[in-house]
Amino acid sequence: MDTRLKKSLSAGGRETRASEDASRAAPEGKFMSAQERRKMWSDEWTQSALPKVPELTGWHLCWLSTTNSYDSIDKRMRLGYVPVMADEFPGFDNYRVKAGEQTGFIACNEMVLYKLPMEIYQEAMLQMHHELPMDEADKVRLQVEQLQGNRDSNGKSLVNVEGEGFGEFDRNNVKLPVFYG
């Protein structure tokens, strides 16, 4: 018989996995605190990799990627975006593109700073983040209203609206939002 193979777990001082697991320390001490986690989330969603530029009155500023083929700079320019020249922001000379088709623009890595007139920005944001969601809510409301009277083969209602449901919602009485950016 091979001596390396033990028939008994207790033979030779060998412990079970369950006893090893019980003796291990809990990892709670290695978890980050809620404050550290919130900071990590905040850092994840902010522009920490790009320089913070001052506000430009009457304009919305944003960094556009030169490598994104779906959301290309040409597409944004057709929508009204224009490049920000380094001359417009004193102190940004080290971000000035020195050669190529973007000479004089403010850039960082593959990102270029562009601006959009605030009226166009407000119009686009209103369409994308107010009107379209309201249209989707209207579609859901209509579907719920159409299904409310329907019953299955046992007579049970197919839809159960909790609370007041959509109630009497009049989208004409909703105050239009103002977007900052």
Side-chain angles (χ1 to χ4, degrees):
M1 180 169 170
D2 193 347
T3 58
R4 292 176 292 168
L5 300 175
K6 307 272 185 191
K7 296 278 186 195
S8 169
L9 289 176
S10 61
R14 188 167 175 195
E15 299 291 326
T16 65
R17 286 191 186 261
S19 65
E20 289 175 5
D21 287 345
S23 67
R24 291 185 185 142
E28 285 86 12
K30 297 178 183 176
F31 291 158
M32 64 177 60
S33 69
Q35 183 179 5
E36 292 170 323
R37 192 170 28 262
R38 283 191 298 271
K39 177 160 177 26
M40 185 181 82
W41 276 103
S42 174
D43 291 346
E44 182 73 24
W45 298 108
T46 58
Q47 294 183 358
S48 58
L50 296 168
K52 182 149 178 68
V53 293
E55 288 188 26
L56 190 57
T57 305
W59 296 89
H60 165 73
L61 299 172
C62 72
W63 291 96
L64 300 180
S65 172
T66 58
T67 60
N68 187 338
S69 59
Y70 176 73
D71 186 14
S72 69
I73 288 179
D74 289 336
K75 179 179 177 182
R76 292 288 187 116
M77 289 180 78
R78 285 191 302 271
L79 294 172
Y81 285 83
V82 292
V84 177
M85 304 302 285
D87 301 342
E88 296 181 61
F89 289 118
F92 277 78
D93 288 334
N94 53 334
Y95 293 105
R96 177 190 305 263
V97 177
K98 304 206 181 356
E101 65 182 70
Q102 298 171 342
T103 302
F105 299 176
I106 294 177
C108 181
N109 299 325
E110 81 282 353
M111 306 298 283
V112 181
L113 186 63
Y114 272 76
K115 61 186 179 180
L116 180 70
M118 193 55 81
E119 348 28 278
I120 297 174
Y121 173 75
Q122 290 296 326
E123 180 184 328
M125 294 298 286
L126 188 65
Q127 174 65 26
M128 300 304 291
H129 299 288
H130 181 73
E131 295 297 331
L132 290 178
M134 291 290 246
D135 291 346
E136 289 300 313
D138 286 342
K139 290 176 189 176
V140 170
R141 187 176 306 104
L142 182 62
Q143 289 175 342
V144 168
E145 289 170 1
Q146 290 173 344
L147 290 174
Q148 274 183 321
N150 294 349
R151 302 200 173 276
D152 65 10
S153 59
N154 295 327
K156 184 177 177 186
S157 177
L158 293 176
V159 176
N160 182 18
V161 178
E162 294 184 13
E164 296 177 25
F166 285 109
E168 293 298 319
F169 179 78
D170 181 13
R171 76 186 283 173
N172 295 324
N173 290 333
V174 175
K175 184 178 175 190
L176 294 179
V178 175
F179 298 92
Y180 301 96

